[in-house]
Amino acid sequence: MTILAAAASTALLAAGCTKGTGEAAQPEANVGTDQNWATVGGGADETSYSRLTEIGTGNVDKLGLAWSLDLPGEVTLEATPLAVDGKIFFPGSYAAVYAVDALTGKQLWKFDPETWKHNPDKMHFSFGANRGVAYENGKIFVAGLDCRLFALDAATGKQLWVTETTPAGSYNICTGAPRTFKGKVIIGNGGADFGARGFVTAFDGNTGKQVWRFYTTPGTAAENKGDPAMEAAAKTWGADFTKAGGGGGTAWNGITFDADLNRIYIGAGNAGAYDPLIRDPGSKGDNLYTSSIVAVDADTGKYVWHYQENPRDSWDYKATPNIQTATLNIDGKPRKVIMHAPTNGLFYLIDRETGKLINQPGKTTLVNWVKDIDMKTGRPNEEPNIRYETGLTEIWPGTIGGHNWQAMSYSPRTGLVYIPIQQIGARFSKRGDASENAFNVMGLLLEPIKQKDGDGHGFLVAWDPIAQKEAWRVKNDNLWNGGTLATAGGLVFQGTAEGTFNAYNAKSGERVWQFNAGLGIVGAPMSFSLNGKQYVSILVGYGGTTAAYGDFMNVGWKYGVQPRRLLTFAIGGTAKLEATPGPDMKVHAVDDPAYVINEADVVAGKQLAVSCAACHGIALQATGTPGPDLRESAIALQLDSLTQLLKTGPLMDRGMPKFDKLTDVQIRQIHAYIRAKAREQLGLRQKDNSRPGNVKL
């Protein structure tokens, strides 16, 4: 930080204090950040809180667009940008890093890890998404989808070093943001849904050399020997669990550094496979450390404590949402706490010194899997038949959770946490009860369901962590929305699936400002100051897990039609966005009338098309991201052009993997299924919403 910039920041904060927004409800010292937004959560505490006050409830109506930057070739944009000393840094869909002048919006440099060239097989394990970069000591750190970790010169974008963070041939992938602390950079990984074993690794920020590694599930007896944390975890698994994979628990998002206690808090993901009888046969153990927050020593990676939110997870519940640290005055005494809203729908307030619950967790959304939490043991008092013991379980929240990776924020001014919430259920079936929306996960049929009032909607929920109750709630039109930013100016910002960027009064929930971004938003905004002026920035690029949810998350955005952008706002901003097409819910299917459908090929193609679902939609119900609607695709209209695309991979650099292991017969079958679904949309064929027939029940 330059002396001039520091002085400007101090003046801005002082000016804000004279305006005031009332006495703070909770201690404000060191919460969040001010001039720079140097990590995805703003400060190391991951509170997504800006101490800046120039933009507030009294003048937010004068907030306008300062500048915008179009990002050709990008699709899903999930990251929260960083702002450091006049530059903005962020990753694109496949971890290409951009550096932008924060005052003008001019692109300064771009670095592309080219995963498609270096490790193309990893493209089969996830859609293109990256949730952020890290900064420390003049370096930018980013992880590619293939889990190579890069250090870049923040001034030039030049690669300083690169290191592999996962073993060769593993199922692990990286979509999360690294974090930096004390000269180190830490990164986790995903892949639990494929049975990968979870772990996080800390590297030296200057050299890229590994400093320590902590596994979130145990390995073999030989691997665990001499490691007390792994030996303890192994006792909660059966003897044969490693035959089914690594157990999951992958830490792909929430990682928080606690400077006060010199600890790292790791949010471990769901267990894999979902069905515990497959994952851990012959056992009824808790399967540590899946679905847990684990505290480790920041210098050594040694285990300190854990709290498991879902013992023996069976529903894709995970502790991966952002983990916030704060000091709260509770019963007249300051307590060092963790605030956490995982996917299971509860809100946990945890003593970060001991890992023990402070109060009874509240329910932030519709929850039917648990009665309450036993405050003596910390274990959930579960409802019956939640692990599909009778062959069928319908559970809320569903697999995307009540709160997922989209960042929640916290304001000490109000004492409230602002959570982007989803409400939708999930049906887990072992007996064949399913539609075409179902995925087959190792013989377990899984699909979203809408049955209850509020299902299919997202909500912005203001939550009181001490009272464990809702302060206010705003209902969004659609299910999958963006993360939040809270500011000392008394505002909460959030983007939505339908493309509005909104500001709310942090105390009341009243919407006080809105901007049409022209495309859905899933990332979280951030705020910074430059030359004494406060700005707010947001990436615009709908996507993520939308295709896998198909029509449940379809808002009408079309692939390649609406530009992806970085938007930056300031008081008095007068820039305008170029008009672009709005949402279009019609499927503009194409057809070749001369093509004769082979019904056996359609049946076989339905089974194979699950390989297309993560990008092109379950049952081909596309959402415009991350891939186009195959029913509308001219390439998929003809068998020869589809075959060439899948066999040779001409669009790999745009995120379309090569499927050279598919046979000509299999490609013909997929083509037949696409043609059948296109004709359904055109009214030329009866609708078939039956599940794929390849499920062994």
Side-chain angles (χ1 to χ4, degrees), residues 570-584:
I571 296 297
T574 59
K576 303 292 183 183
L577 288 181
E578 182 180 343
T580 56
D584 179 4

Side-chain angles (χ1 to χ4, degrees), residues 108-421:
L108 302 174
W109 55 258
K110 179 182 177 182
F111 172 85
D112 190 347
E114 296 185 321
T115 297
W116 65 271
K117 183 184 296 183
H118 291 270
N119 205 335
D121 287 346
K122 290 290 185 179
M123 297 173 68
H124 292 280
F125 292 95
S126 179
F127 49 82
N130 190 284
R131 298 181 187 90
V133 299
Y135 173 87
E136 191 173 63
N137 298 330
K139 301 181 186 69
I140 294 292
F141 302 93
V142 68
L145 182 64
D146 58 354
C147 290
R148 287 175 298 150
L149 180 65
F150 297 86
L152 311 175
D153 186 311
T156 65
K158 178 183 177 182
Q159 180 179 309
L160 301 175
W161 55 256
V162 60
T163 189
E164 299 282 353
T165 70
T166 57
S170 72
Y171 292 126
N172 302 82
I173 54 172
C174 291
T175 57
R179 269 71 168 185
T180 54
F181 65 99
K182 299 173 67 175
K184 303 179 187 70
V185 55
I186 186 170
I187 186 69
N189 47 71
D193 294 351
F194 304 106
R197 184 186 184 192
F199 57 89
V200 298
T201 314
F203 298 89
D204 184 285
N206 288 323
T207 66
K209 300 296 184 183
Q210 181 174 320
V211 178
W212 55 258
R213 173 169 288 175
F214 181 86
Y215 286 95
T216 52
T217 56
T220 64
E223 291 169 332
N224 301 333
K225 188 175 181 180
D227 185 334
M230 291 301 100
E231 290 177 340
K235 294 177 182 178
T236 68
W237 294 80
D240 296 329
F241 91 92
T242 55
K243 294 179 181 179
T250 49
W252 49 265
N253 186 61
I255 301 174
T256 301
F257 171 58
D258 181 347
D260 290 343
L261 300 178
N262 195 41
R263 292 175 183 171
I264 297 288
Y265 305 114
I266 302 165
N270 57 280
Y274 300 158
D275 187 345
L277 299 182
I278 294 175
R279 175 181 74 241
D280 189 25
S283 166
K284 293 185 178 180
D286 290 345
N287 296 166
L288 291 174
Y289 297 97
T290 65
S291 302
S292 300
I293 296 177
V294 185
V296 301
D297 183 274
D299 294 331
T300 65
K302 298 297 184 183
Y303 168 93
V304 178
W305 58 254
H306 78 275
Y307 177 76
Q308 189 173 41
E309 294 166 336
N310 282 98
R312 201 163 180 79
D313 165 54
S314 305
W315 321 276
D316 193 18
Y317 285 168
K318 37 200 168 279
T320 49
N322 60 318
I323 301 168
Q324 297 181 338
T325 61
T327 297
L328 300 184
N329 290 327
I330 303 174
D331 297 329
K333 297 180 180 179
R335 299 284 298 272
K336 295 181 186 297
V337 305
I338 283 172
M339 296 182 287
H340 197 228
T343 64
N344 71 15
L346 302 187
F347 188 97
Y348 296 84
L349 190 64
I350 299 171
D351 186 310
R352 67 183 202 251
E353 295 184 287
T354 66
K356 303 298 183 183
L357 289 179
I358 292 174
N359 55 20
Q360 178 66 229
K363 297 178 180 179
T364 63
T365 185
L366 180 62
V367 174
N368 74 343
W369 64 271
V370 65
K371 299 179 180 71
D372 57 19
I373 304 298
D374 186 315
M375 290 300 293
K376 291 183 178 180
T377 65
R379 297 179 65 86
N381 293 314
E382 298 176 342
E383 297 285 358
N385 187 37
I386 59 174
R387 291 181 178 82
Y388 21 96
E389 292 90 344
T390 63
L392 179 72
T393 291
E394 293 182 341
I395 198 165
W396 279 261
T399 56
I400 59 167
H403 172 226
N404 209 294
W405 58 264
Q406 294 94 326
M408 67 183 190
S409 57
Y410 163 69
S411 171
R413 293 283 176 107
T414 62
L416 300 176
V417 179
Y418 303 95
I419 317 170
I421 290 291

Side-chain angles (χ1 to χ4, degrees), residues 460-597:
L460 173 57
V461 174
W463 191 262
D464 185 329
I466 298 176
Q468 284 287 11
K469 66 179 183 180
E470 180 182 304
W472 53 259
R473 168 181 296 241
V474 173
K475 183 179 182 180
N476 291 319
D477 291 341
N478 294 287
L479 179 64
W480 193 240
N481 302 287
T484 67
L485 161 70
T487 77
L491 297 170
V492 177
F493 290 88
Q494 184 192 29
T496 67
E498 58 271 19
T500 60
F501 185 36
N502 303 312
Y504 301 91
N505 183 302
K507 290 184 177 180
S508 67
E510 176 191 3
R511 192 179 71 195
V512 292
W513 177 83
Q514 185 175 79
F515 181 86
N516 181 5
L519 179 64
I521 296 169
V522 290
M526 63 85 172
S527 187
F528 64 96
S529 69
L530 183 61
N531 300 329
K533 191 176 185 68
Q534 183 180 358
Y535 297 85
V536 174
S537 291
I538 183 78
L539 283 167
V540 179
Y542 188 63
T545 194
T546 54
Y549 266 66
D551 287 344
F552 292 98
M553 291 189 183
N554 184 18
V555 189
W557 306 117
K558 294 293 186 180
Y559 180 82
V561 173
Q562 293 85 17
R564 275 57 182 168
R565 290 167 165 150
L566 172 65
L567 306 181
T568 296
F569 301 85
I571 296 297
T574 59
K576 303 292 183 183
L577 288 181
E578 182 180 343
T580 56
D584 179 4
M585 294 299 293
K586 182 179 179 180
V587 177
H588 301 275
V590 295
D591 184 45
D592 177 3
Y595 177 77
V596 178
I597 289 179

Side-chain angles (χ1 to χ4, degrees), residues 44-84:
D45 57 9
E46 301 283 332
T47 55
S48 293
Y49 175 70
S50 172
R51 298 194 292 266
L52 302 175
T53 57
E54 182 197 356
I55 302 170
T57 54
N59 64 356
V60 69
D61 60 318
K62 298 179 176 61
L63 189 65
L65 184 66
W67 54 260
S68 66
L69 175 66
D70 283 12
L71 302 167
E74 298 297 348
V75 186
T76 295
L77 295 175
E78 296 189 355
T80 303
L82 307 189
V84 181

